[in-house]
Amino acid sequence: MRTTFQTSYLQDVRLFPDVRRAIRYAALVALAAALPLVLDDFLLGEATNVLIWAVAGMGLMVLTGHAGQASLGHAAFLAVGCYANAILMERVDLPFVASFLAAGAITGLAGVLIAIPALRLHGIYLAIATLALSMLTEDIIVLAEPWTGGVTGLVAPDITIAGAQVDRYGSPDLFYWLCLVVALIVTLGYRNVLRTPLGRAFVAIRDSEISAQAMGVNVAVTKACAFGLSCMVTGWAGALMGHFIYTFNHEVFTVIISIQLLVMIVIGGLGSIQGAYWGALVLVGIPQVINIARDGAQAALGSSIVIPGIETGLFMAILILFILFEPRGIHGRLEKWKVYVELFPFCRRDMFRRQKSYLKTERMR
Amino acid sequence: MSLLDVDGVTVHFGGVTALERVSFTVEPGEIFAIVGPNGAGKSTLFNLISRFHEPEEGDVRFAGESLLRRAPSGIAGLGIARTFQNIELFEHSSVLQNLLVGRHTRRRASILAQILFTPAVRREEIAHRVAVERMIDFLDLQPHRDRIIAGLPYGIRKVVEVARALAIGPRMLLLDEPASGLSAEESRDMQFRIKDIRARMGVTVLMVEHDMGLVSAVSDRVLALADGRVLAIGTPSEVQSHPKVIEAYLGTEAAAP
Amino acid sequence: MTETLLRIRNLECFYGPVMAIRGVSLDVPEGRIVTVLGANGAGKTTLLKTVSGVMDPAKGDILLAGDSIASRDPDRIVRKGVVHVPEGREIFPLLTVDENLAMGAYTRKDRDVAADREMVFGYFPILKQRRRQTAGTLSGGQQQMLAIARGLMAGPRVMLLDEPSLGLSPLLVGDIFAILRRLNAERGVTMLLVEQNARVALDIADDGYVMELGRIVMEGSAERLRQSADIQEFYLGAERQGLRGERRWKRRKTWG
Amino acid sequence: MEILQLIVSGLANGCIYGLIALGFALIYKAAEQVNFAQGDLMMFGAFVALGLTNDSHLGLPFWVACIGAVTAMAVLGWLLERSVLRRVFGQSQIAVVILTIAFGFLLRIAAGLIWGHDPLTLESPIAGVNQHFGGLVLGLDELTVIAVTLVLTAILFGFFSRTKLGIAMQASSQNQLAAYYMGIPVKRIHGLTWALAGAIAAVAGILFASKGSIDPNTGLLGIKAFAAAVIGGFGSLPGALAGGLIVGLIEPFAARYVASGYSQIAPYAMLILVLLIRPHGLFAQIHAKKV
């Protein structure tokens, strides 16, 4: 087992606790940046999709995983970001970078506005209220036809950055790099938040609101911050998503998407940045796996099998298995393996065994 | 001027009187204990100072300023820190992280600066670590520094809670039953710690405690409450020998020397 | 010589990776009060939880009148007459006092429940006054009484008591221990008592064990434990001011 | 007269929501779990009854099919608890929420595979029979729905407040550990609770399918019933019924007097409004925690 000796106060404060990890992550980023050189256009599109979902996942993760506020309505904020970006580019004629930033700001503001009434709600009630919000989104998009194009929807405008045309179909590698840059910036900002008072305040209100207050943490302001940051990032993901799918209408941002997003971060591992990426990988990967399996079955049986909703079904089945056998998600499972390897051969089976646990009512507040 | 001035506060909970015109003052540098039977209103008094409850009458002033105008989260910023009877720590964080939350009121950087992790934020973070490490040293928590609270024994958690409260850098520390659930040995350690907190950090201590051994060993003055009213106030021996206190709280057996 | 009712043999128990109990054996004779003393984190609560079945032992056996009850579901163990009164006032906060007591008698099919309720009210008159009140609105001391009273409603042969004095005023501690002593004398209830307040515990107990870091380090009659220098310094210390005084260093424990 | 007609059809619809909401409330009260699959259980129950009784399927007598569906759904509820939910016993409520969401999806896919995706109607003796009271036309189906809902709510209410088992259910939801200490078989009680919720879902499904057609997505109605349960205050049985009626009444009136597009929005807008005014619903059972 490797032991890190504490030799300075800086050690806890640094971005990476040790050099090894810094090198590992640098290699990972380099690999990600080199992907367009290796992959064909289809797979590169899928990789882009993973990055977009990971950004959305990080948006929800900060709220649910760290600040402990479960949301079943984040598709609404994807929609706000997506429409705000498209409308700003189209109607106000803003360049992409400006409209993208503004879309994040608008969505963040929307999040803060939602947070103010949501402050009084806890746990399951908050989840339900956000679910209702998600249900409303579809109808509101239809009702706000003058801006959103209603049922017909909108077409994502072309992106030009520094004279270069960034198009999902025309220049998929540029669009991929754009998404990669956004994902990296968000990841870095997220990591920074976690090692500063703001991130600690998030965790504090998640674990005990009452003692957070006694420590001087303003619960209302902190929750509003969490909602604001979360929605801002989700809005950015929504804006990218708009460009990725090219045309969109009210049917894109359904409550199913909200649920999928939450399920995704649970599978990835709640409370970890890596979890958002793992979850996105699973979410985007499943249809591909099914396609491969279907092609295989078709070749073997000679007839095609079509089961409607199989993607969602498989996704949900994976979710059930994860909650039952690895509630800490993919990230948690990997961490356990790491401990196992580091301790080998001194790792006991009991180490990760959970003792029976019991719940008390949450109706006493 | 008194540090804390509780002036004629009255609190009712659905017809039950929790506090009835209670007044007392705590002087700077004092260790002041509140005793009394269960349900006498001791915790209510603490929650009043923490602003979790609202008094119907009366005022609570800290260093001359009324607390009633502050939000619950504004109390720590004034320099009042507290612990809880049933321990309210952040269960899934390490001891170090818990203590760092105690530094929350000392943060200066804006949200944007925190997201960007500017050099100023870095300097501030290091200052927080230095302060917190000092607290860890002071209360002998080094072996548990990086351990998650959920896995710590009860006695250690009690100390962590005190450390977290001290990380605020308070002028007054409210301890809610610091020795409850501790063995005689641990309770004796707690006694030394409370004395050190006053002697070395100059913090005024206000505590609620049942263990009369601890109360008489550390406190300068004691307030006895029963049914929301003040029974007696004075030195530990005065209060312990007060007939009404014996009748309502100590019982005859415990009062016998 | 009385029969051994509860017999624990070589018990080992884990909290995740942490070994909380490291091979504990103890005997509780019928009709006696046995107390387990020990510092925090010594594993006393874990011991009781393992006996009552809410935690599973990794090794070892628990015998009730000769039958193994280790790893059984808690409800089966209650039916065999072992009732656990947990620490920290674990009551049903949204039910009334009466309903809480009715739940105490959940496993019983006989008709004496009403009589037992009157008996319990005899011991705790305050509960009778509050019988229609929601238990969550009781004061801490009353909740503690309710927890004990509820345990009695099961008509137990063995009561496992976890820190009944926690957070109570000295007067109330005296009251509750007087009631426990009466229960033992009048109804012959066998008790396994885990207590931080060593003085009151040794006062009512017949025998005692001392647990440290998951092991039994000392056992004997309550009288013998009271005489031990270690017990006096580490467990009765607060009550006897002179013993350690302002001395900050600690004597090494010998458990002789 | 038109208003009266709207009220009656709103009440009948509201009773269906109320019945689903009753399932939510029941599980919350007895296990403090939140079942997001209640709507899908209802849909599945309706399909089971349909599969047993419709001529194009098994063609059994209607009442046999009813009993069969209720039994089958009770077993399904029990199996769900036994095989899946019991494994997350003692973990946070959110785990159960997510598990039941996933289970709901699987039920929807299963129903689609077995009975197809086209809307089907249940051949029920109470469908399409009308009673005339003056100018008022009342369907037998609507009357049955209202009567069954009232009776079921009353029975469940009595069960929870009067019987030892009902109180034990409440006890085990409030403090699992203490319930165990008292010898209450908490896990078995959870199984029973879920079986009961499955049975109620089947009743709601049969009544719903008697009033109109069903398809695998009918389960999404559960979300509206969910809003109803929350409006009424989670864990309160009369509250669930009241919430259901409120949602049922608000829909036709919003459609009639505002605009048809708003009847979908109205229940959720109502939900958000209620949560803002009373964060735990109208009949909430929440107490202040002592620090």
Side-chain angles (χ1 to χ4, degrees):
Chain A
M1 191 179 172
R2 208 168 55 234
T3 315
T4 315
F5 291 99
Q6 194 88 19
T7 50
S8 88
Y9 290 117
L10 205 58
Q11 214 156 323
D12 284 328
V13 181
R14 267 199 293 252
L15 193 56
F16 301 105
D18 51 38
V19 185
R20 274 164 206 262
R21 227 171 288 200
I23 293 173
R24 232 184 295 156
Y25 279 106
L28 193 64
V29 170
L31 186 74
L35 273 187
L37 310 176
V38 196
L39 299 181
D40 62 24
D41 279 4
F42 173 74
L43 284 179
L44 192 61
E46 292 301 299
T48 313
N49 204 9
V50 169
L51 287 176
I52 295 172
W53 278 104
V55 173
M58 283 189 280
L60 184 57
M61 187 72 88
V62 76
L63 186 67
T64 303
H66 286 105
Q69 313 291 310
S71 165
L72 277 170
H74 256 48
F77 300 111
L78 282 176
V80 172
C82 178
Y83 279 100
N85 176 55
I87 292 170
L88 283 175
M89 284 177 82
E90 197 89 317
R91 302 265 175 102
V92 192
D93 229 8
L94 284 181
F96 171 75
V97 177
S99 73
F100 180 74
L101 291 176
I106 290 171
T107 321
L109 204 64
V112 173
L113 288 179
I114 296 296
I116 294 168
L119 283 176
R120 299 181 54 183
L121 303 174
H122 295 263
I124 205 74
Y125 289 88
L126 181 68
I128 292 161
T130 52
L131 184 79
L133 185 73
S134 202
M135 295 298 290
L136 287 177
T137 313
E138 273 179 72
D139 295 305
I140 291 173
I141 292 175
V142 176
L143 289 173
E145 202 192 327
W147 290 301
T148 60
V151 185
T152 336
L154 290 180
V155 175
D158 295 332
I159 305 174
T160 317
I161 300 173
Q165 186 90 14
V166 182
D167 185 351
R168 148 111 161 91
Y169 297 103
S171 50
D173 42 356
L174 286 183
F175 188 66
Y176 170 81
W177 278 322
L178 172 68
C179 293
L180 183 64
V181 168
V182 172
L184 285 179
I185 291 173
V186 169
T187 310
L188 194 67
Y190 194 167
R191 177 79 189 110
N192 285 343
V193 165
L194 288 187
R195 54 188 175 140
T196 47
L198 188 60
R200 292 193 292 266
F202 286 167
V203 176
I205 59 166
R206 176 188 76 190
D207 284 359
S208 166
E209 278 189 20
I210 214 143
S211 81
Q213 277 183 344
M215 293 298 114
V217 177
N218 187 323
V219 173
V221 170
T222 310
K223 272 191 191 171
C225 267
F227 265 95
L229 286 180
S230 163
C231 293
M232 181 177 77
V233 172
T234 311
W236 282 337
L240 291 178
M241 211 172 269
H243 288 289
F244 183 75
I245 52 182
Y246 196 56
T247 56
F248 43 85
N249 64 358
H250 68 293
E251 283 175 344
V252 174
F253 303 101
T254 58
V255 69
I256 308 285
I257 297 292
S258 291
I259 292 173
Q260 233 168 31
L261 195 57
L262 182 66
V263 166
M264 185 187 100
I265 61 169
V266 171
I267 290 181
L270 274 182
S272 61
I273 301 177
Q274 294 94 324
Y277 282 90
W278 288 120
L281 211 56
V282 172
L283 181 74
V284 176
I286 282 182
Q288 304 316 315
V289 173
I290 289 176
N291 275 341
I292 293 168
R294 190 174 289 155
D295 291 347
Q298 200 165 359
L301 302 172
S303 64
S304 72
I305 312 156
V306 178
I307 305 172
I310 180 76
E311 283 94 352
T312 328
L314 196 61
F315 192 53
M316 294 298 166
I318 291 177
L319 168 77
I320 292 180
L321 292 178
F322 260 102
I323 294 196
L324 293 188
F325 300 107
E326 187 48 85
R328 288 169 59 200
I330 298 177
H331 179 66
R333 169 53 46 183
L334 291 177
E335 290 288 299
K336 283 180 191 172
W337 278 337
K338 210 153 73 187
V339 172
Y340 183 87
V341 171
E342 280 176 3
L343 287 182
F344 188 81
F346 301 112
C347 207
R348 280 194 334 271
R349 282 201 102 183
D350 291 338
M351 224 157 136
F352 304 116
R353 203 181 65 175
R354 265 177 308 175
Q355 252 300 350
K356 293 178 187 168
S357 59
Y358 303 90
L359 279 187
K360 261 196 231 181
T361 180
E362 291 187 14
R363 279 171 275 174
M364 301 291 289
R365 290 196 187 279
Chain B
M1 185 177 60
S2 307
L3 188 60
L4 180 75
D5 185 359
V6 176
D7 187 6
V9 290
T10 300
V11 178
H12 293 273
F13 292 124
V16 184
T17 309
L19 291 173
E20 182 78 39
R21 266 172 272 137
V22 171
S23 299
F24 65 94
T25 60
V26 179
E27 305 305 319
E30 207 176 12
I31 297 182
F32 191 96
I34 302 172
V35 300
N38 300 90
K42 306 183 299 292
S43 290
T44 311
L45 205 49
F46 265 32
N47 289 338
L48 209 61
I49 300 173
S50 298
R51 301 288 295 116
F52 297 149
H53 294 327
E54 199 74 27
E56 284 135 53
E57 269 176 48
D59 196 5
V60 183
R61 284 182 292 273
F62 183 74
E65 188 196 340
S66 173
L67 292 182
L68 301 185
R69 266 178 257 125
R70 294 272 175 162
S73 57
I75 297 300
L78 286 176
I80 303 178
R82 73 168 287 178
T83 65
F84 293 86
Q85 195 177 334
N86 295 323
I87 304 186
E88 295 271 346
L89 287 166
F90 309 118
E91 286 281 314
H92 305 290
S93 304
S94 66
V95 170
L96 185 73
Q97 295 289 334
N98 265 275
L99 265 57
L100 282 170
V101 178
R103 303 291 301 169
H104 191 82
T105 54
R106 302 294 173 116
R107 77 196 188 289
R108 293 286 163 269
S110 68
I111 293 177
L112 188 64
Q114 292 182 44
I115 294 172
L116 298 175
F117 211 78
T118 57
V121 174
R122 173 181 300 258
R123 279 194 299 277
E124 205 179 281
E125 274 299 301
I126 293 176
H128 289 330
R129 308 272 156 167
V130 173
V132 162
E133 295 291 350
R134 199 170 290 149
M135 234 31 84
I136 289 178
D137 282 345
F138 178 62
L139 292 171
D140 298 323
L141 286 169
Q142 299 92 337
H144 312 288
R145 186 177 178 279
D146 291 314
R147 287 179 62 189
I148 303 295
I149 301 296
L152 290 177
Y154 186 86
I156 305 293
R157 290 185 202 202
K158 277 245 145 75
V159 181
V160 174
E161 222 191 10
V162 174
R164 187 182 64 176
L166 285 175
I168 292 178
R171 291 168 70 189
M172 185 166 79
L173 178 63
L174 311 184
L175 297 172
D176 200 346
E177 304 204 10
S180 84
L182 298 188
S183 72
E185 181 188 356
E186 291 166 326
S187 142
R188 178 56 58 94
D189 291 339
M190 188 60 88
Q191 174 184 322
F192 292 131
R193 290 198 170 113
I194 294 171
K195 285 185 172 173
D196 288 350
I197 287 168
R198 186 206 9 211
R200 293 214 245 146
M201 309 186 127
V203 176
T204 308
V205 177
L206 176 63
M207 67 173 186
V208 163
E209 181 53 61
H210 278 311
D211 182 347
M212 284 310 287
L214 178 66
V215 168
S216 47
V218 300
S219 42
D220 303 312
R221 284 195 300 152
V222 179
L223 167 77
L225 279 179
D227 298 325
R229 289 184 175 78
V230 176
L231 275 190
I233 190 163
T235 64
S237 55
E238 280 168 20
V239 170
Q240 255 177 312
S241 55
H242 196 288
K244 274 190 182 162
V245 177
I246 293 172
E247 183 200 346
Y249 177 59
L250 295 172
T252 43
E253 189 194 353
Chain C
M1 185 65 203
T2 44
E3 198 87 0
T4 300
L5 189 55
L6 185 69
R7 194 187 289 268
I8 297 171
R9 284 292 170 266
N10 301 320
L11 205 64
E12 286 186 14
C13 202
F14 288 89
Y15 254 121
V18 185
M19 196 174 189
I21 301 185
R22 305 158 176 261
V24 163
S25 299
L26 60 81
D27 292 319
V28 183
E30 176 128 41
R32 310 255 281 191
I33 301 180
V34 174
T35 182
V36 178
L37 307 176
N40 275 296
K44 306 182 306 285
T45 298
T46 313
L47 178 70
L48 291 197
K49 283 185 170 176
T50 313
V51 174
S52 60
V54 299
M55 282 178 67
D56 287 335
K59 281 197 191 118
D61 209 357
I62 305 164
L63 301 166
L64 180 74
D67 300 330
S68 173
I69 56 167
S71 301
R72 292 285 181 79
D73 267 352
D75 54 293
R76 313 243 329 242
I77 294 174
V78 174
R79 274 170 221 277
K80 283 179 167 289
V82 179
V83 162
H84 186 158
V85 178
E87 90 185 299
R89 305 153 193 176
E90 304 269 358
I91 42 122
F92 304 120
L94 302 173
L95 297 183
T96 63
V97 169
D98 258 351
E99 286 169 333
N100 264 279
L101 292 176
M103 285 302 102
Y106 181 80
T107 53
R108 288 172 61 178
K109 298 271 179 281
D110 51 296
R111 299 257 154 228
D112 303 338
V113 174
D116 273 13
R117 183 180 306 228
E118 284 312 310
M119 176 274 290
V120 162
F121 283 148
Y123 285 113
F124 301 100
I126 184 81
L127 294 182
K128 188 165 189 174
Q129 292 171 26
R130 311 256 159 143
R131 55 192 299 177
R132 309 254 172 258
Q133 205 173 319
T134 318
T137 62
L138 297 178
S139 78
Q142 290 160 358
Q143 292 190 6
Q144 186 73 57
M145 291 187 207
L146 179 60
I148 297 174
R150 193 184 53 183
L152 279 178
M153 289 297 290
R157 293 167 78 186
V158 184
M159 274 182 107
L160 310 172
L161 293 150
D162 197 355
E163 305 254 2
S165 78
L166 188 67
L168 297 188
S169 71
L171 191 63
L172 221 49
V173 172
D175 286 353
I176 285 198
F177 276 81
I179 290 170
L180 292 181
R181 200 198 302 257
R182 269 176 63 201
L183 278 169
N184 176 252
E186 293 168 12
R187 304 180 67 86
V189 181
T190 308
M191 292 179 190
L192 179 57
L193 170 70
V194 158
E195 197 32 270
Q196 206 63 252
N197 192 337
R199 192 176 61 93
V200 286
L202 287 177
D203 266 355
I204 73 163
D206 302 299
D207 305 301
Y209 291 81
V210 179
M211 249 178 117
E212 292 250 318
L213 300 172
R215 288 193 184 85
I216 299 281
V217 292
M218 189 177 182
E219 60 176 285
S221 68
E223 193 47 44
R224 173 166 171 254
L225 292 186
R226 227 171 317 183
Q227 302 299 328
S228 146
D230 288 315
I231 297 279
Q232 288 189 354
E233 167 145 7
F234 293 104
Y235 292 102
L236 301 171
E239 260 61 44
R240 306 195 179 175
Q241 288 299 320
L243 205 61
R244 195 163 147 211
E246 286 302 303
R247 175 160 61 83
R248 286 185 176 226
W249 55 272
K250 296 170 192 172
R251 216 167 47 81
R252 229 182 120 202
K253 296 173 190 174
T254 54
W255 303 120
Chain D
M1 200 47 83
E2 189 201 347
I3 289 183
L4 216 57
Q5 195 75 52
L6 277 181
I7 288 179
V8 173
S9 77
L11 279 181
N13 267 333
C15 280
I16 296 281
Y17 298 141
L19 271 180
I20 307 176
L22 215 55
F24 288 130
L26 166 80
I27 289 183
Y28 193 78
K29 201 176 178 71
E32 207 165 294
Q33 292 169 332
V34 178
N35 176 18
F36 268 79
Q38 190 70 23
D40 298 294
L41 280 174
M42 178 209 77
M43 173 274 297
F44 209 78
F47 267 116
V48 171
L50 185 146
L52 290 175
T53 187
N54 270 19
D55 285 336
S56 52
H57 293 82
L58 286 182
L60 296 173
F62 180 73
W63 297 111
V64 177
C66 283
I67 294 167
V70 169
T71 317
M73 292 313 289
V75 170
L76 185 67
W78 181 79
L79 275 177
L80 170 66
E81 199 282 332
R82 193 66 240 256
S83 57
V84 178
L85 300 174
R86 191 163 293 189
R87 289 173 179 273
V88 294
F89 181 85
Q91 290 176 42
S92 79
Q93 292 181 358
I94 296 294
V96 175
V97 168
I98 297 175
L99 276 178
T100 50
I101 286 177
F103 184 73
F105 272 94
L106 295 182
L107 275 183
R108 217 170 301 157
I109 290 168
L113 284 177
I114 303 172
W115 292 288
H117 289 268
D118 300 323
L120 296 174
T121 7
L122 177 69
E123 289 157 13
S124 156
I126 56 169
V129 186
N130 288 336
Q131 309 274 350
H132 293 262
F133 295 96
L136 200 63
V137 185
L138 292 183
L140 182 59
D141 47 359
E142 289 174 338
L143 291 176
T144 316
V145 166
I146 294 172
V148 169
T149 307
L150 289 178
V151 169
L152 258 181
T153 311
I155 291 176
L156 279 176
F157 187 73
F159 170 72
F160 270 110
S161 53
R162 295 268 180 271
T163 65
K164 188 160 133 184
L165 186 61
I167 295 173
M169 279 182 167
Q170 293 190 51
S172 58
S173 80
Q174 289 170 21
N175 192 334
Q176 293 179 343
L177 192 57
Y180 257 140
Y181 286 141
M182 292 306 108
I184 299 171
V186 179
K187 287 180 181 168
R188 233 179 302 153
I189 280 198
H190 277 193
L192 195 62
T193 308
W194 282 82
L196 211 55
I200 289 177
V203 173
I206 292 167
L207 291 174
F208 180 79
S210 300
K211 276 162 50 59
S213 62
I214 50 166
D215 66 79
N217 285 328
T218 303
L220 289 175
L221 204 71
I223 301 182
K224 219 179 278 174
F226 206 81
V230 177
I231 288 173
F234 239 89
S236 158
L237 301 172
L241 184 59
L245 292 181
I246 290 173
V247 170
L249 284 174
I250 213 172
E251 271 186 323
F253 279 92
R256 171 73 183 75
Y257 292 104
V258 190
S260 65
Y262 286 91
S263 82
Q264 286 298 312
I265 298 186
Y268 303 109
M270 179 77 191
L271 167 69
I272 292 177
L273 192 74
V274 168
L275 284 179
L276 291 184
I277 299 163
R278 278 182 69 89
H280 301 290
L282 298 176
F283 297 79
Q285 203 186 20
I286 301 275
H287 292 255
K289 177 182 168 186
K290 286 187 179 167
V291 198

